[in-house]
C-alpha cells in the first residue's frame, strides 16, 4: 500500500517525528510511505489544513496513494477538509482505540490526527501505537465481528451517498480556486512522488498544465 503523509503549516516542525513514527510501523508491514511535507516551518511551500484536504483528494482519487495520514493542531480542520472531497473517508484518530475501530468498522482511506492538542511526553509512542492499530490487520473485518456484514453494508451505502453528493475530482479541480490548487501542489517533492504514481491521466494532465 502507498501511504501519503501530509503535514500543514502550524505543525510542520513535527513532520520528522510523525514521519519517523509512520515509517517505523508501516514499512515492516510492506507499505511505502511518501512524505509530501511540509518538512519544516520554513518551507517555501506552505500548506493549510484546507490544502491538506484538497491534496488528499488529489492523491486518493488519482490513486497516487492508497491511504493518507494527515492532521493539524486538533485534527478537526484537516478531517473536515478531507471529508469535503469526493471518494475520501477520513476519520479523526486520537488514540490507538480510535485507530483500531476506524480501521475495522469504517475502513476509510485517510486519518487526521491532533499534533498540538494532547501532543506531549511520549507522543511519538502514541503515534506508533495508532499506526500499528491501523495497519496490522486487514481493514473492515468488523468490531464486534458478528456485526461485520452490517458494517460492510453501511459502508457501501455511505459510499453511494458520497458519490451522489459530490462532484468527481476533475470537476472539483477545475472549479476550485486555482491559486489555492497551485499552492496545494507546490511542495518540493510533489512532482517527484505524484506523477510516477498517479493512475489517472486526466487529473495528472490537468495539474501539469497549471
Amino acid at each position: 500500500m502507498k501511504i501519503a503523509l501530509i503535514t500543514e503549516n502550524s505543525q510542520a516542525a513535527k513532520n520528522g517525528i510523525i514521519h519517523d513514527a509512520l515509517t517505523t510501523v508501516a514499512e515492516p508491514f510492506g507499505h511505502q510511505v511518501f512524505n509530501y511535507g511540509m518538512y519544516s516551518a520554513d518551507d517555501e511551500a506552505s500548506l493549510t489544513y484546507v490544502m491538506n484536504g484538497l491534496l488528499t483528494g488529489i492523491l486518493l482519487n488519482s490513486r497516487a496513494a492508497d491511504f493518507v495520514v494527515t492532521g493539524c493542531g486538533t485534527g478537526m480542520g484537516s478531517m473536515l477538509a478531507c471529508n469535503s472531497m469526493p471518494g475520501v473517508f477520513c476519520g479523526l484518530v486520537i488514540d490507538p482505540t480510535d485507530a483500531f475501530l476506524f480501521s475495522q468498522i469504517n475502513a476509510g482511506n485517510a486519518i487526521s490526527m491532533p499534533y498540538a492538542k494532547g501532543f506531549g511526553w511520549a507522543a511519538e509512542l502514541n503515534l506508533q501505537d495508532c499506526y500499528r492499530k491501523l495497519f496490522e490487520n486487514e481493514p473492515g473485518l468488523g468490531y464486534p465481528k458478528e456485526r461485520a456484514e452490517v458494517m460492510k453494508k453501511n459502508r457501501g451505502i455511505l459510499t453511494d451517498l458520497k458519490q451522489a453528493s459530490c462532484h468527481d475530482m476533475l470537476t472539483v479541480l477545475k472549479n476550485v480556486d486555482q491559486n489555492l490548487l497551485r499552492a496545494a501542489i507546490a511542495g518540493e517533492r510533489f512532482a517527484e512522488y505524484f506523477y510516477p504514481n498517479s493512475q489517472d491521466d486526466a487529473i495528472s494532465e490537468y495539474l501539469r498544465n497549471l
Side-chain angles (χ1 to χ4, degrees), residues 1-204:
M1 185 164 64
K2 293 176 289 188
I3 302 170
L5 172 62
I6 307 171
T7 314
E8 51 87 61
N9 51 19
S10 76
Q11 305 305 311
K14 296 170 184 167
N15 177 269
I17 296 171
I18 300 163
H19 182 253
D20 286 348
L22 182 56
T23 55
T24 295
V25 172
E27 288 183 349
F29 289 127
H31 305 309
Q32 291 178 280
V33 176
F34 297 87
N35 188 354
Y36 280 83
M38 296 171 63
Y39 307 102
S40 76
D42 299 322
D43 283 11
E44 184 176 343
S46 181
L47 290 171
T48 66
Y49 75 82
V50 178
M51 294 175 193
N52 282 8
L54 184 54
L55 184 52
T56 296
I58 290 169
L59 296 178
L60 291 175
N61 282 280
S62 67
R63 299 182 300 282
D66 303 302
F67 197 93
V68 171
V69 173
T70 188
C72 54
T74 64
M76 295 288 190
S78 289
M79 179 194 68
L80 291 170
C82 287
N83 282 321
S84 71
M85 294 290 106
V88 178
F89 299 90
C90 181
L92 178 66
V93 169
I94 298 172
D95 59 36
T97 303
D98 291 337
F100 172 76
L101 293 174
F102 176 69
S103 171
Q104 295 306 297
I105 296 173
N106 308 106
N109 52 15
I111 63 161
S112 180
M113 301 188 74
Y115 297 126
K117 179 180 179 290
F119 199 92
W121 195 47
E124 76 282 1
L125 300 182
N126 181 63
L127 292 179
Q128 289 182 30
D129 289 342
C130 287
Y131 300 145
R132 193 167 290 109
K133 287 298 182 184
L134 276 173
F135 302 126
E136 69 182 354
N137 296 307
E138 179 186 344
L141 295 180
Y143 185 86
K145 299 287 187 184
E146 58 268 23
R147 289 187 53 80
E149 285 304 313
V150 173
M151 293 170 180
K152 181 179 180 181
K153 180 179 179 180
N154 284 332
R155 288 196 302 271
I157 294 170
L158 180 59
T159 299
D160 291 343
L161 177 61
K162 185 92 166 182
Q163 289 175 343
S165 63
C166 289
H167 296 293
D168 65 276
M169 195 66 208
L170 187 59
T171 299
V172 172
L173 296 180
K174 290 178 178 178
N175 286 284
V176 75
D177 182 296
Q178 298 298 282
N179 289 329
L180 180 72
L181 177 55
R182 288 187 185 93
I185 63 171
E188 62 179 280
R189 295 190 183 127
F190 175 82
E192 174 188 349
Y193 292 159
F194 175 75
Y195 293 111
N197 287 296
S198 173
Q199 298 176 48
D200 190 301
D201 292 340
I203 290 177
S204 294

